[in-house]
Every structure is written in C-alpha cells, then in structure tokens.
Amino acid sequence: NYTGLDRVVAWAGQRGWPVHGHVLVYPWANVQSSWWRALPVGEVETEMNRFIDNLAGRQRGKIWAWDVLNECFANNANEPQHAATGLLT
C-alpha cells in the first residue's frame, strides 16, 4: 500500500520541495513481510528487484534520490540471516 508515500510525495511536490527516498531495502522491515520470509533462495534477487522497480518506478521523476540498501549484513550471530546470501532476513 503506497497511499502514505503518495500523499507525502505529492504534498512536498506541491511546495516545490525535493524528496529524498529512504530506503528501498531495509532488511529489518522486510523481515516483517510474510512474502519476503517465504521466498525460496533462488527467487530472492528477482523479487527484490521487482519490489524496488515497483516502489521506485511509482515515484519516478518525483523523488530525486534513493538510499537503496540499508544495514544489510548481520552484526552478530544472533541476528536472523538468509542462509544463502548472509543478508539479514
């Protein structure tokens, strides 16, 4: 659901304010998504790219820059990691 994002971006645009998008992929947030947790290892990259394309594409020309990836590697062994990639999951 992009309603909140659409509203904020439109509000800033009406005022001529630049919008910096933060963040397209944030593993601690992604782990809350059941679709992300259920992905087979072979589909992680494809689905991550699709997610990024959908989100960034929706705001194309309205957001001047995006932070793409934030805090993607585990800091310690107690943080959940995707078995194949080592990324936080």
Side-chain angles (χ1 to χ4, degrees):
N1 182 338
Y2 299 112
T3 304
L5 175 64
D6 292 344
R7 210 173 310 147
V8 169
V9 170
W11 183 83
Q14 291 166 355
R15 287 155 179 76
W17 296 350
V19 176
H20 181 123
H22 178 80
V23 63
L24 289 170
V25 178
Y26 185 60
W28 282 114
N30 292 104
V31 74
Q32 303 303 318
S33 303
S34 58
W35 67 267
W36 175 261
R37 290 193 311 260
L39 286 175
V41 172
E43 295 179 22
V44 170
E45 183 178 358
T46 299
E47 290 304 315
M48 187 181 302
N49 286 332
R50 184 186 333 258
F51 174 78
I52 291 168
D53 288 345
N54 286 337
L55 181 57
R58 181 178 184 86
Q59 300 300 334
R60 180 172 285 127
K62 301 173 190 170
I63 294 181
W64 73 272
W66 285 94
D67 296 329
V68 178
L69 183 60
N70 195 38
E71 299 178 21
C72 63
F73 294 102
N75 292 320
N76 63 59
N78 295 324
E79 294 176 317
Q81 298 176 40
H82 194 280
T85 63
L87 294 175
L88 290 172
T89 59

